[in-house]
Amino acid sequence: MNPRDVERTRLVRGYILGTLSAADHADVERLVEHSDEWRETLESQRKAIAALQSVSAESPPPDLAASAVRRAIEADVEVRRVNRRSGFPWVPVLASAVVVCVVVSVVLPLFSRAREASRRASNQNNLKQLGIVFKMYADESKGEKYPPIAPYPDVWMFDIRSVYPEYLTDLAVLVNPELPEAEKLTEELNELAAKKPVDWERITRIAARSYTYTAWAIQDASELKPLAEARRGLDAAQLDGDIHVGGKTFYRLKDGIERFFITDINNPASSSEYQSLLPVVFDTSPRARPSGGSILYLDGHVAFEMDHPDIPSLLK
């Protein structure tokens, strides 16, 4: 770009944003009043800045957006230079096309990544909400237990009837926003909850498409498979207790369950450390597996794991 064009663009943008000194501000006002070129630059910069300011919270970082605008300005200046030399009437159209193409090619991928990050944040917020629900339930349950597993074959979700609507007031929390059909599933949940009698099995199976609730304490996802095999041999009356199988005990989730995993009883920090290591809910979303997924831990924190396991395959 011509240094003079760069300087003019810089001053005009500063004039619009109010970052110029008083002297420079007065100079720009005078030049805009007497020069078509400066008025044209002022108008194009106002449009570019207005477009960026109208973008929602999902917009790309300002430095990246500014880079896109800078590239568009450079393309616009270059085409205008060709226009002045050639005099062909179709060149202004080409100028507009080039500017649009540059902005679209740079900004659209950024919007896509921003939307993905927003959905991930919403998903993690859902998991944190579930962590709060579990804590409130445990405070009032016998033995401080977390909600029981749903009594449906091969469904790894807590019994929603035990927490809704006393502790869980919004069923949308049960749907991972990263699912392509998340909005449709949320609407279906609300419709099902409004009908009498309520089809709790259908509600639970919809929720299980987004999240997997362990119900028993495990140290990592590798224990899901033996836990699933042990659960298949239980009847409904045994689902609320510990599971003993092959010398291994799976303890029902409850407040204080981490004490069974502490090896250094003299370390006062051991309890909180193990609470942060015991998973409670896994992100089951198919979209999460290629790039990672989120996990709610016993202490209530949520972490995004790049090596997130393929949960459905472990529970088969």
Side-chain angles (χ1 to χ4, degrees):
M1 182 186 289
N2 186 297
R4 188 179 66 176
D5 293 332
V6 173
E7 180 62 13
R8 182 174 67 253
T9 300
R10 184 189 69 80
L11 289 171
V12 167
R13 292 180 69 180
Y15 175 79
I16 297 171
L17 298 173
T19 58
L20 295 179
S21 65
D24 285 342
H25 189 276
D27 287 342
V28 171
E29 281 190 335
R30 177 178 54 79
L31 290 166
V32 167
E33 182 180 355
H34 296 93
S35 169
D36 292 338
E37 193 173 33
W38 279 79
R39 281 195 295 273
E40 186 176 318
T41 301
L42 177 62
E43 184 63 24
S44 66
Q45 287 300 298
R46 275 178 174 163
K47 290 180 179 178
I49 292 174
L52 288 176
Q53 290 177 338
S54 68
V55 176
S56 69
E58 294 181 355
S59 62
D63 56 334
L64 296 177
S67 174
V69 174
R70 184 171 61 255
R71 289 174 59 183
I73 292 171
E74 292 172 353
D76 181 57
V77 170
E78 178 62 21
V79 174
R80 289 178 187 277
R81 182 182 63 79
V82 174
N83 183 26
R84 289 195 294 269
R85 292 173 57 185
S86 65
F88 288 115
W90 49 264
V91 173
V93 178
L94 177 61
S96 299
V98 169
V99 171
V100 170
C101 288
V102 170
V103 172
V104 169
S105 65
V106 174
V107 174
L108 280 185
L110 302 180
F111 285 161
S112 178
R113 288 196 292 271
R115 284 194 295 270
E116 182 180 347
S118 177
R119 293 191 189 102
R120 180 187 298 177
S122 296
N123 176 36
Q124 293 186 333
N125 183 62
N126 282 358
L127 289 170
K128 290 177 182 177
Q129 292 290 329
L130 291 178
I132 295 172
V133 168
F134 297 158
K135 290 291 185 182
M136 292 191 300
Y137 179 92
D139 285 344
E140 299 182 6
S141 70
K142 184 178 180 180
E144 297 182 296
K145 291 181 180 179
Y146 276 31
I149 193 80
Y152 310 116
D154 298 320
V155 176
W156 288 86
M157 174 53 56
F158 54 89
D159 190 348
I160 298 171
R161 290 174 297 182
S162 66
V163 299
Y164 180 82
E166 184 177 0
Y167 305 104
L168 176 65
T169 58
D170 185 4
L171 292 177
V173 173
L174 301 175
V175 177
N176 185 342
E178 294 181 283
L179 287 174
E181 68 276 23
E183 185 175 347
K184 180 180 177 181
L185 292 176
T186 300
E187 291 177 359
E188 185 176 357
L189 284 179
N190 290 326
E191 291 173 359
L192 289 167
K195 292 179 180 179
K196 303 299 179 185
V198 178
D199 188 347
W200 289 110
E201 181 172 358
R202 175 60 182 162
I203 289 177
T204 305
R205 290 188 181 278
I206 290 175
R209 295 177 60 178
S210 294
Y211 303 112
T212 293
Y213 174 64
T214 65
W216 290 271
I218 60 173
Q219 292 183 283
D220 54 58
S222 66
E223 292 188 325
L224 279 174
K225 197 170 189 67
L227 174 60
E229 293 173 353
R231 179 195 168 185
R232 292 189 187 100
L234 303 179
D235 57 37
Q238 297 173 300
L239 292 178
D240 199 38
D242 299 337
I243 300 177
H244 306 280
V245 55
K248 169 75 175 177
T249 298
F250 291 105
Y251 299 100
R252 268 282 280 118
L253 281 174
K254 60 183 177 180
D255 278 345
I257 196 65
E258 70 279 357
R259 68 180 183 273
F260 291 103
F261 301 91
I262 294 175
T263 54
D264 185 3
I265 59 174
N266 296 317
N267 182 0
S270 294
S271 179
S272 59
E273 178 183 351
Y274 271 92
Q275 280 188 359
S276 68
L277 296 175
L278 298 177
V280 175
V281 179
F282 290 89
D283 177 352
T284 321
S285 168
R287 285 190 58 180
R289 293 197 294 274
S291 59
S294 298
I295 303 173
L296 167 68
Y297 289 89
L298 188 64
D299 67 345
H301 91 278
V302 175
F304 183 81
E305 307 288 349
M306 292 301 296
D307 56 348
H308 192 274
D310 184 348
I311 302 298
S313 66
L314 292 174
L315 295 174
K316 287 181 179 178

